[in-house]
Every structure is written in C-alpha cells, then in structure tokens.
Amino acid sequence: MLEFVATPGVAVALAGVLGLVVGSFLNVVILRLPARLLHSWREQSREILELDVAGEGGASPPGIVREPSHCPQCKHKLGALENIPVLSWLVLRGRCKHCGVKISAQYPLVELLTCTTSALIVWKFGFAWHAAAGLLFTWTLVALAGIDVRTQLLPDQMTLPLLWLGLLFALVPLFIGPEASILGAALGYLALWSIYWMFKLVTGKEGMGYGDFKLLGALGAWMGPWSLLPIVLLSSLIGAIVGGSLLAIQGRDRATPIPFGPFLAAAGWVQFVFGETISHLYRAIFGLP
C-alpha cells in the first residue's frame, strides 16, 4: 500500500486532494485568526491600562478549530455537503443556501491555490520528508498571504514559527545547513529593515510593516542568503505589475497602501520550488557559467 501511495502520479494526486481539504481550513484561519488576535489585543490593552470595562470587548470571536463553519450573515451552520471544497461553492452558485447572501470567491480560490501548490510540492520533492516540510511551508505562506490581503497584517503567530521551523530543519539538514539558514534569516530581516528606515528617513513615511521583515527572514531561514535577492526582485516585479494593475482597475491613487506580504510569499514559494530552474535559465540566456 505504501509503495502504491509513493508512486509519483498517485502521490501528486493525493497531495492535490489534501491541498483542497487544507485549503478549506486555511480559509477559516484567514478569516478568524485576525479577529481573534484583535480581540486578544484589546483585552490585553484593557488589562495593562487597568480599565474596568468588563464585557465591553463583546463576545470572543469564533475559534479556529472547534466552532463549525457558518454563514456570516444568517449564522446557519454548514452541513457536510455544504463544506465540500470548491464543489459546494459551485453547486450553490456562490450563495448561502438559506439566506442567499453572496459567498466570497476567496473560498474556492484559496482551496484551488492550496491544491495546486501542494501537488507541485510533491511533484518537486517526491514522497519524502522534504515534501512534508515543503507542504507546511506552502500552507503557511498561503494563509499569510490571505491574511495580509484582507487586513494588511502578517501575524507573528505565523511568521515566527515559520522562521523557527526553517532554522530547525537546517539542523538535519533538510534543505540547507545551519550556517546558511542563520545567515539567511538575519540578512533577510535586516535587508527590508534597512530599506524601511532609509525610506522613512527620506520621505517621513512608512513603506512597509515589520511583518514583511520577519517574513523575508523566515524565507531566508528556509533557503539561505543567496535566495534573498531573487525573492526581493521577483516580489517587487510582481508587486509592481499586479499592484499597479489593481490600482488602475479600481481607479485608486498610487498612494493607496498595498500589502507587500502576498508578493513576498509568492516570490518565496516560486524560489523554493523553481529556484534552480530559474537560475539555470538565467545563466543560459546571458551566457554565464
């Protein structure tokens, strides 16, 4: 049975199915984690300020694991047939079965994205521990990108564990050695930190958030210092094209803040999976050894 599952085609297909299921869970994380963090920060602030405001914070937002999925409008709890990744959204035509409110296209998009990227990870690394680590890396990036798009936040609760996992895997070593991992983490953080402060000193404005520093540091911990320049260049290119296009379509001013985390996550994932291929192609085009 194990040999059958380890067959490349079967392993890739199973990874895709697993990605659909995990993508459904990541939607819950993307929607509920920021609300729970905000509620927790408010409670902590009241405690620090010694304010007697019991009950003013309202009810605690739904948990990520225990509370079942429900319609945000009518609070109808979704049944098993309404929770099938992608298919349920298509059958229901993107609307709640009970109240008819429109269901965001985020749900099937995140599920399809997680399905595709998970399958590509197993295609790249095969049925091995490298693939298992790569799946954790991928799922975390998908969740971080989704949260940043919605809230312009990159929670420490996700960026820091991603960084520590990269450092711990380097002890094996799984992808890179410990020296490269530590150096990648440090340089990744300091690179964007330096850009942030130079931009702020020149313009008096904040060009990015601290979560971006931590995310690039985490990517450096997984892939080493030599991956940082391609990631920054690719994320800047993707950001300029996608961000500029969205601003033009929406008719917004260029001063409108755009989250940089999704572009960093996308560039980091591309570098993680296709970095060697891109490097070989670049050398071939420009005739480099």
Side-chain angles (χ1 to χ4, degrees):
M1 180 65 180
L2 188 60
E3 292 181 359
F4 173 74
V5 172
T7 304
V10 175
V12 170
L14 290 176
V17 174
L18 177 62
L20 284 173
V21 176
V22 172
S24 181
F25 173 71
L26 293 183
N27 272 314
V28 176
V29 174
I30 292 169
L31 291 171
R32 297 185 183 181
L33 180 60
R36 293 189 62 81
L37 290 176
L38 181 59
H39 180 80
S40 176
W41 295 335
R42 286 173 174 168
E43 293 297 315
Q44 292 172 16
S45 298
R46 294 188 184 97
E47 184 178 349
I48 292 172
L49 295 173
E50 298 181 351
L51 298 177
D52 185 15
V53 288
E56 288 191 15
S60 177
I64 295 175
V65 177
R66 292 186 177 181
E67 282 81 353
S69 298
H70 58 270
C71 172
Q73 181 68 26
C74 67
K75 308 303 179 184
H76 163 71
K77 294 182 180 179
L78 304 183
L81 295 179
E82 297 172 282
N83 257 327
I84 302 174
V86 181
L87 183 60
S88 291
W89 190 88
L90 292 174
V91 171
L92 295 172
R93 298 181 180 180
R95 293 189 178 277
C96 174
K97 179 181 178 181
H98 289 260
C99 68
V101 71
K102 187 176 181 181
I103 301 173
S104 173
Q106 170 195 308
Y107 292 93
L109 289 177
V110 169
E111 290 161 357
L112 287 172
L113 176 63
T114 312
C115 167
T116 304
T117 51
S118 298
L120 285 172
I121 285 290
V122 174
W123 167 79
K124 168 71 175 181
F125 296 106
F127 191 75
W129 287 111
H130 295 76
L135 289 174
L136 288 176
F137 177 80
T138 299
W139 297 340
T140 305
L141 289 183
V142 171
L144 282 168
I147 291 173
D148 203 17
V149 167
R150 292 180 60 88
T151 65
Q152 296 190 15
L153 291 174
L154 290 171
D156 289 350
Q157 287 78 358
M158 299 187 73
T159 55
L160 296 184
L162 185 65
L163 185 148
W164 286 113
L165 273 178
L167 294 173
L168 289 174
F169 284 145
L171 295 177
V172 177
L174 201 58
F175 299 106
I176 57 175
E179 292 183 359
S181 182
I182 294 171
L183 190 59
L187 291 179
Y189 185 91
L190 290 173
L192 291 187
W193 179 88
S194 301
I195 294 173
Y196 167 88
W197 280 108
M198 285 189 291
F199 183 82
K200 188 171 183 179
L201 289 173
V202 173
T203 66
K205 301 177 182 179
E206 296 184 356
M208 63 183 71
Y210 279 66
D212 297 318
F213 315 161
K214 298 167 190 174
L215 178 55
L216 186 59
L219 296 176
W222 280 75
M223 291 175 276
W226 49 84
S227 68
L228 297 175
L229 182 58
I231 290 174
V232 171
L233 291 177
L234 183 57
S235 61
S236 300
L237 177 62
I238 297 174
I241 296 174
V242 176
S245 300
L246 288 176
L247 290 179
I249 293 172
Q250 297 172 358
R252 297 186 179 183
D253 185 79
R254 290 188 177 182
T256 303
I258 298 176
F260 189 51
F263 307 127
L264 268 180
W269 189 85
V270 169
Q271 177 66 24
F272 182 71
V273 178
F274 301 109
E276 293 182 4
T277 302
I278 295 173
S279 178
H280 292 157
L281 181 62
Y282 176 84
R283 291 174 183 172
I285 292 175
F286 293 96
L288 298 176

